[in-house]
Amino acid sequence: MSSSTAHARHTRRTALAAAVAVALTAGSTVALAGTASAGTAAPAVAEVTTAALVKGLYQSSYSERNDTLWVTVSVGRPPVTDSRLLKVDPDTLEVEQTIVPPVTNATTGAREAVYGVAVDDEHNTVWVTNTRNNTVAVYSQRTGAHLATLPDVNHARDILVDEKHDTVWASGFGDGTLVAYDSRTLTETRRVTVEGTGPTGLTLNERTGAVYAADLNNDQIIEVSRKSGEPRLIPAGDGPIAVALSRNGRTAYTADQTGGTVSVVDLKAGTLTKSVATGAGALSVATDERTGNVLAVNRGAANVTVVDPRAGAVVGTVATGTNPNHVELVEGTAYVVDKSGSGPAGEDLLTRIRLAR
């Protein structure tokens, strides 16, 4: 892969004939039939499976090395006392291990609550952002041990791993900062601040090592290359909060929270070429490198849309639980976490979507 997102490492024109009913028991599956429109040969989605996990799901990241989906969990506002890092079987959608972050305040019971997540398979670690604590942390994938907490990332939001260059990047939404770490020594190596920006979602060009951040404050993308000291600012959609790249790394796609769109950005020209309406509160985005289609999680619309960016059209829609929050896409299989609380005991849902080729 030359240019996938941190959370999608390995990674037609009509809506589906019917919305997918959300099943509430682990392993419940819905296989989709054809599309409703005459003249389209096949649907964009092949199968949907939904499982109830726990309350407070936030993001997920897939480990190819361990065939594991790592899911972050944090419940409520500070002091957050219920936070976990889950090891989930991507085939059965069952929780195999629960890791509890360390306590930061013995009086309140507050923990180092985990939100963003990215896997480093080269060093067998998993990195998380502790948004409420303005830090990032590192855990062992093998043992689940807490290895380090790294300070001074103001409202740490997203995190990604560049295995080729032994680098990890975190976005500091609170002060317009992107922070880089050495993934071997777990030490900070670079700090780039763009005043007045609000970097949120991150993605990576794996070939060049350039990192891209959605700037929610200014409707743009922040590009930071490995060689240039000055970041480049590129126009994006209305309220971009997440970003993904095309397989060749020449095009960026932003999930636009304000506009409810996926925007297509020509990175070489530095221009916004089109915006495709996907649904209210577009929040997370990922690229299917096999087909070139783009998935958008729409929090307000409670669904995931499949977009053909070349045609500028939605080619599939999958209903999720309410308030879907994040998508991780791995070789044609998407994992979507939501904050619906609609499981049998009030759990949030994990939805697995197998995409058609």
Side-chain angles (χ1 to χ4, degrees):
M1 299 176 300
S2 61
S3 54
S4 62
T5 67
H7 310 282
R9 290 181 51 251
H10 300 292
T11 342
R12 310 175 152 111
R13 282 184 179 265
T14 64
L16 300 177
V20 177
V22 177
L24 298 181
T25 56
S28 295
T29 301
V30 178
L32 299 186
T35 62
S37 172
T40 46
V45 177
E47 180 185 279
V48 178
T49 305
T50 302
L53 292 189
V54 300
K55 187 74 174 175
L57 303 182
Y58 198 79
Q59 286 190 5
S60 70
S61 183
Y62 176 76
S63 166
E64 181 181 19
R65 175 173 178 166
N66 299 292
D67 190 26
T68 292
L69 190 69
W70 292 96
V71 182
T72 52
V73 177
S74 288
V75 179
R77 297 186 177 276
V80 178
T81 59
D82 184 2
S83 182
R84 286 162 275 175
L85 180 61
L86 305 181
K87 182 179 181 181
V88 176
D89 185 315
D91 297 317
T92 66
L93 304 186
E94 294 178 351
V95 177
E96 296 181 317
Q97 182 182 6
T98 299
I99 300 165
V100 180
V103 171
T104 58
N105 188 312
T107 301
T108 64
R111 294 191 177 276
E112 198 175 82
V114 295
Y115 293 89
V117 60
V119 164
D120 179 2
D121 273 346
E122 181 183 7
H123 302 101
N124 211 16
T125 55
V126 56
W127 290 66
V128 298
T129 57
N130 309 312
T131 305
R132 307 293 187 179
N133 301 97
N134 300 317
T135 63
V136 302
V138 191
Y139 292 81
S140 167
Q141 287 199 71
R142 184 176 65 85
T143 67
H146 176 272
L147 302 178
T149 297
L150 308 174
D152 195 24
V153 186
N154 193 333
H155 197 90
R157 208 271 186 179
D158 265 30
I159 197 155
L160 68 76
V161 175
D162 178 358
E163 290 187 357
K164 179 179 178 180
H165 301 102
D166 293 308
T167 301
V168 177
W169 286 93
S171 59
F173 176 76
D175 60 2
T177 298
L178 300 176
V179 185
Y181 303 92
D182 186 313
S183 57
R184 299 160 298 186
T185 63
L186 312 186
T187 56
E188 183 180 326
T189 58
R190 188 178 178 190
R191 183 172 287 258
V192 178
T193 301
V194 183
E195 296 293 340
T197 64
T200 49
L202 300 173
T203 194
L204 174 74
N205 185 315
E206 293 183 358
R207 180 178 57 83
T208 66
V211 63
Y212 298 84
D215 177 10
L216 182 61
N217 291 351
N218 300 289
D219 297 346
Q220 61 188 2
I221 297 170
I222 304 168
E223 178 190 72
V224 176
S225 71
R226 288 183 54 78
K227 297 180 180 179
S228 174
E230 289 296 321
R232 180 177 172 226
L233 305 178
I234 306 167
D238 187 6
I241 194 168
V243 59
L245 296 185
S246 61
R247 183 173 183 175
N248 61 17
R250 298 171 186 166
T251 305
Y253 309 108
T254 59
D256 307 322
Q257 186 177 41
T258 306
T261 56
V262 164
S263 289
V264 181
V265 179
D266 183 325
L267 293 175
K268 182 177 180 180
T271 57
L272 170 64
T273 60
K274 68 184 73 168
S275 293
V276 182
T278 58
L283 192 61
S284 182
V285 67
T287 305
D288 182 358
E289 294 188 346
R290 307 165 315 145
T291 63
N293 289 341
V294 177
L295 269 69
V297 166
N298 307 297
R299 185 179 174 95
N303 62 25
V304 177
T305 48
V306 184
V307 175
D308 181 342
R310 299 162 296 263
V314 171
V315 296
T317 301
V318 176
T320 65
T322 56
N323 302 320
N325 204 65
H326 182 262
V327 59
E328 169 80 336
L329 183 53
V330 184
E331 296 180 346
T333 300
Y335 299 90
V336 178
V337 294
D338 67 42
K339 295 185 171 298
S340 65
S342 57
E347 306 99 332
D348 294 338
L349 306 178
L350 170 63
T351 300
R352 182 178 62 212
I353 304 170
R354 299 197 189 281
L355 301 172
R357 291 195 67 109

